[in-house]
Each structure stands twice: as C-alpha cells, then as structure tokens.
Amino acid sequence: MIRGIYAAASSLLSLLHRQEALSHNLANMNTPGFKQEVVLPQRGATWALVQDWGRAGQSPPIGGLTYTVERGNTEIDYRQGPLENTQRPLDLAIVGDGFFRVQTPEGVRLTRDGTFHRDSAGHLVTSDGYFLLGENGPLQIGEGDPYIATDGSIYMPGATAPVGRIALGRVADPTTLRPQGDNLWDPGNAPVEVMPPAQTTIRQGFIEQANVDVSGTVVSMMLALRSYEATQRTLRLQDEALQRVLDIGR
Amino acid sequence: MVNALGRLYTIGYTALQARQAEIEALTDNLANLNTPAFKQKRLAFQATLSAQNDKLLRRGVELSAATPDFSQGPVQVTGEMWDLAIDGPGMFRLQLPDGRIGYSRLGTFRLDGQGHLINEQGLYLVPPVTIPPGVEAVAIDARGVITVTEGGASRVLARLQLARFPNPEGLIDQGNGVYLPSTASGEPVVAAPTENGMGQIIAGALEMANVDAAQQMVNLLRVQRSYALTLRALQISDQMYTLTTQLQG
C-alpha cells in the first residue's frame, strides 16, 4: 500500500518535470536556433516479488513490480528548424549540419542562432557581443552590407576577394553538447571539428526558427495534466485506504 | 515539488512577457506605418538557463535585442520646399537642447522667424543654416548645396553636412526620430551629401517608414496565437499546482 503511494508520488514528480521541459520549449517557440528538449519516458527499477513462506529455499517468485517512475532523461532534438526570410543582411541560417562557433570569455561555444550584429570595430558579433569565428578567428567586415555565399565566404561591396569565411563547427556526438543559456551550447571536452566549405550551407537573409512543435507541445501538456490528475486521485485513494486501516486499530 | 512548481510559473511568466514584448513591437511598427523616416524594430529572444549544483534549471526566455532596421524607406514627393529626404545611409545632425548632437533621418525642416532651418521639434541643424531676409529664391541640390538668389544674382549660401555610423543598428532611439550614438554604433563619420558614401539629398520629398506592413500583420497574427497558447500552458501548470495542494487535505 505504501509502495503505491511512492509510485504515485514519483509519477507526479516525473510529470512536473515533463511539464517544465514542455513549458520551456513553448516559451522559446520564437527563439532563433532553439532546439526543443524531448523528455524520454523512463521506467524505474523493477523489483522481483516472491512469496515468502518463511522457510529457506521455498520462496516461489510471483512476478515483478515497478513501483517508481524515474525522472525521464531529456534529449535535445537537433532537427532543422524552419527558415524565416527576414532580408536582413546579417541574419544567417545554417541548412543541415553544423553550428556557428563564437568566442566567449569562457571559450568557444556553439550556436544555431544566426542573428548577428556588427560591433563598432566592424566585427561580426552575437546579440551578446561575442565574436563569430571564421577560419582565422574573429571576422572583421567593416562597414557596408556584405554578401555571404552559401559556403560562408564574406564578400564586401566592390571587392572580388572574400574578407573571410565563416567556419562552422561540429562535434562527433551532439548529445554531448550542454545547453548553457543565451542560445549557446558548451562542447565541453569534445573536440570541435571545423567543417570544410563543401559541407557548409549558409543562407543569408534568413533565420532558422525554433524547431518547437507548438501544437504537439500543448497536446503533450494536456496529457501531462490529465495523467497528473489521475495519479493525484490514486494517491488520495490510497491515503484514504491507509486512514481506514489506522481507524480500525483505534 | 514546490520548487519544481515555482519554476513552472517562472517559465510561464517569462514566456508571457516575451510574447507581450513582441505584440508591443509589432503594433508600434504598424502604428508608425505613415510616420516619415520611421525605422521598424525587430526583437530577438534567447533561451535562459541557470546552473545550480551542476544541474541546469530552465528559466524560460528573455529578450536579447531590439534592433532597428536602418534599411532605406521609400521616398515620397511632398512638394514642400524644405522637406529633405536622404537617399543613402547618411543622417542629419541636430543640436539637442542639452548640448549633444542627435542624429535623424527625418527631413521635415522649416524656417523659423529668424530664418534658421529647424526640424519638427525646433532643433537646429549642425552646422546651423540661416536664410538671410529678402532672398528671392532658394534651391537645394542633390549634393546638399543651398543656393540663394538675391537681387537677381545667385550665390552659394551653405552646404549641408550628414553623418553615418559604422553600425547604425547600435544607435539609441531617443524618440521623435532622433538617435544618439553608443559604443555599439561607433563614432560618426561626417561628410557632405554625395561624398564618402553619405547618399544624396532629394529636396521636396520625405523618406517614409520602412515598415513592411504585410509581414508585420502576419507576425502579429502569429504572436497573438502564441500568446493564447502560452496562457494555456500557464493555466495547465496552475491546475497542476491546485492538484498538488489538494494532496494535503
């Protein structure tokens, strides 16, 4: 009976956790380059039940019992988000693989948020002022609207040679990336491979929108709420049953 | 459990704030559809997370930038002599009452009683332009050269000066179409029209707002729907809270 209470309580916690991830996804439905988090369902440990006859060697098994629900692991869904045409010359969207590499005080971080700006010295920077990295470090483009080719090469008006090339990066296993807020991912100790021009596809004047499945998220929330309601009910029922047992002993 | 519930409210709150900011920016853009030289703004958002004991806590979303779009607006002929449009990136330099220099694309200039060229808010151009009394005709050409005719003879009176910035998106909006420089915008470069990439002056015309009305309307409809969904999410979190409190009873 107590086991049932634990099972219900752990299920409530797990559903709150799910609701939190879904809310965070929904809050970021208009955050450029945002990748939604998916909570994977996870069953708790299954315990073998045996009938205890009180005699050694005579405890026949009667099946298993799973009485907890663990907080599910979350996974980032790295699928491509839809492209929005903004016509802003410094809005860049990556099509397919790779991340923009940006220089932060803590080291190189990765992002899919392509809303870049220019600092007063003409460097390409993120909204937080971090340098976008090219093949040879920060990219200084100066004044004027650049033309940015799909391989990331930046051409300034009137010039035939590129001033630099945006060098995208990738890691062998994206599941090792840690989101750290500000639309950045921390590669940690994983080496960031700089991608060759032939594998880079950048669209200028576009923004990669969040890949949040908005209607799916709201439906999942409703489902989480109903499960929460049902579980809360079973918990109260068990509580009442326990109360009756206590009343008998009174 | 209470902590987890509290976070649900934080996330819902930041989401509502973000959608509210978007609605405000879009309605502001649409309200200024017919405001000369108005520059539409675009908001950018960031996901926020905070680290606690090596665990990442989701905090929802925050506004990361409100960027004015300094692309050229359409030039409309008004026939007013002192309406000046700039076809190019240059900006008028204005003397602010506090001594600083403000920068503006708004070219609705007039002459005050003393013949000074002033803008809508009564601010003087830098350097000031004064039309002497008794002139028969005044003309401004594309290079910003002001020619006056007195007693049948023409002479050059002055030449307008414009300024442009390495990063106009970094300018600070002071309202009424006046902008101030910031560390992000960089220092202004000053030159006469048609020189040093300033663009040319079109007299008798105004630069209109660069608002893309259709795009803004589509975005407004989208954000209104997003707002409703965000409210629904917050309601669901709230119902979970109610259910949790009913456990103790």
Side-chain angles (χ1 to χ4, degrees):
Chain A
M1 199 177 285
I2 308 268
R3 279 180 190 167
I5 288 179
Y6 288 143
S10 67
S11 168
L12 290 182
L13 276 174
S14 152
L15 287 165
L16 280 182
H17 179 242
R18 174 180 293 262
Q19 174 69 4
E20 185 184 324
L22 291 169
S23 300
H24 187 71
N25 286 344
L26 199 68
N28 286 291
M29 65 179 139
N30 198 19
T31 302
F34 180 80
K35 300 292 168 193
Q36 67 177 353
E37 262 183 285
V38 184
V39 181
L40 304 171
Q42 197 177 2
R43 249 166 44 145
T46 302
W47 299 70
L49 286 189
V50 293
Q51 195 160 6
D52 186 4
W53 288 351
R55 276 170 284 173
Q58 292 195 7
S59 304
I62 51 172
L65 173 66
T66 305
Y67 65 87
T68 58
V69 182
E70 280 177 26
R71 269 170 70 128
N73 278 329
T74 56
E75 225 174 57
I76 307 275
D77 172 4
Y78 284 102
R79 277 178 299 176
Q80 175 84 40
L83 298 192
E84 179 193 355
N85 187 355
T86 64
Q87 296 172 3
R88 187 175 163 268
L90 298 184
D91 279 349
L92 306 174
I94 301 171
V95 181
D97 237 7
F99 294 87
F100 295 110
R101 294 153 60 240
V102 299
Q103 183 69 54
T104 76
E106 290 86 35
V108 173
R109 296 290 180 268
L110 303 177
T111 184
R112 294 276 293 196
D113 175 1
T115 43
F116 291 104
H117 302 268
R118 204 189 311 241
D119 69 4
S120 54
H123 292 104
L124 284 177
V125 294
T126 67
S127 299
D128 290 307
Y130 302 138
F131 292 129
L132 171 64
L133 293 178
E135 280 171 324
N136 307 310
L139 293 156
Q140 195 169 13
I141 62 167
E143 285 179 56
D145 288 341
Y147 165 73
I148 297 169
T150 52
D151 70 350
S153 300
I154 304 170
Y155 298 87
M156 295 314 290
T160 49
V163 291
R165 191 179 79 82
I166 300 164
L168 301 183
R170 69 176 160 211
V171 291
D173 178 11
T175 59
T176 59
L177 292 175
R178 264 174 69 98
Q180 65 160 51
D182 301 343
N183 298 350
L184 301 176
W185 279 286
D186 180 359
N189 295 323
V192 178
E193 181 204 345
V194 173
M195 289 166 59
Q199 290 175 24
T200 302
T201 310
I202 292 176
R203 296 283 301 273
Q204 186 183 15
F206 285 83
I207 279 294
E208 182 185 2
Q209 293 177 322
N211 69 348
V212 178
D213 168 11
V214 173
S215 38
T217 304
V218 174
V219 171
S220 299
M221 281 183 174
M222 289 175 178
L223 202 61
L225 172 64
R226 295 308 162 205
S227 310
Y228 199 84
E229 219 167 14
T231 312
Q232 187 254 18
R233 216 173 145 62
T234 63
L235 209 157
R236 292 189 68 177
L237 284 174
Q238 290 176 83
D239 186 44
E240 279 166 32
L242 197 61
Q243 187 61 49
R244 280 204 194 118
V245 172
L246 291 173
D247 287 347
I248 292 169
R250 197 171 279 171
Chain B
M1 198 176 259
V2 173
N3 275 344
L5 280 162
R7 281 207 295 281
L8 289 181
Y9 284 97
T10 309
I11 294 169
Y13 174 61
T14 63
L16 279 181
Q17 274 189 316
R19 301 293 84 86
Q20 188 71 49
E22 272 189 288
I23 291 174
E24 278 166 18
L26 290 168
T27 46
D28 189 43
N29 287 344
L30 282 167
N32 287 292
L33 204 55
N34 293 316
T35 305
F38 179 81
K39 300 295 171 193
Q40 64 177 6
K41 272 193 205 70
R42 236 177 71 96
L43 304 186
F45 294 96
Q46 284 182 340
T48 47
L49 297 165
S50 63
Q52 192 185 63
N53 305 331
D54 206 39
K55 239 176 58 185
L56 283 170
L57 299 181
R58 303 175 188 89
R59 296 249 174 243
V61 62
E62 68 181 1
L63 184 67
S64 60
T67 312
D69 167 6
F70 269 95
S71 62
Q72 176 85 39
V75 173
Q76 192 176 311
V77 175
T78 62
E80 292 283 335
M81 157 92 212
W82 291 110
D83 278 352
L84 306 176
I86 304 167
D87 181 17
M91 300 179 92
F92 297 109
R93 301 162 73 222
L94 300 168
Q95 185 66 58
L96 300 182
D98 61 5
R100 288 183 294 180
I101 294 178
Y103 299 86
S104 178
R105 298 273 303 177
L106 181 58
T108 44
F109 291 98
R110 297 290 175 267
L111 291 181
D112 69 3
Q114 284 88 48
H116 301 302
L117 203 53
I118 53 169
N119 86 338
E120 261 181 10
Q121 291 104 49
L123 302 173
Y124 293 114
L125 271 173
V126 178
V129 175
T130 308
I131 309 295
V135 297
E136 288 138 26
V138 185
I140 308 169
D141 69 6
R143 297 173 302 130
V145 176
I146 303 174
T147 317
V148 291
T149 311
E150 276 173 302
S154 294
R155 65 175 175 97
V156 171
L157 178 77
R159 190 168 181 191
L160 295 174
Q161 295 287 312
L162 299 178
R164 70 185 160 82
F165 290 87
N167 179 30
E169 285 184 352
L171 290 170
I172 300 164
D173 190 351
Q174 290 293 104
N176 293 323
V178 178
Y179 294 84
L180 284 177
S182 71
T183 49
S185 69
E187 291 296 313
V189 180
V190 178
T194 68
E195 280 169 21
N196 202 358
M198 290 293 164
Q200 59 172 345
I201 296 285
I202 303 170
L206 279 180
E207 180 187 11
M208 298 312 290
N210 68 349
V211 177
D212 181 345
Q215 184 68 49
Q216 300 291 314
M217 274 313 293
V218 169
N219 283 345
L220 192 58
L221 290 176
R222 180 183 55 74
V223 178
Q224 277 169 342
R225 200 186 56 129
S226 306
Y227 191 84
L229 288 172
T230 305
L231 261 184
R232 184 80 191 95
L234 197 55
Q235 278 167 351
I236 289 175
S237 299
D238 190 50
Q239 277 169 288
M240 284 185 165
Y241 190 90
T242 309
L243 287 167
T244 312
T245 53
Q246 280 169 359
L247 281 173
Q248 308 141 351

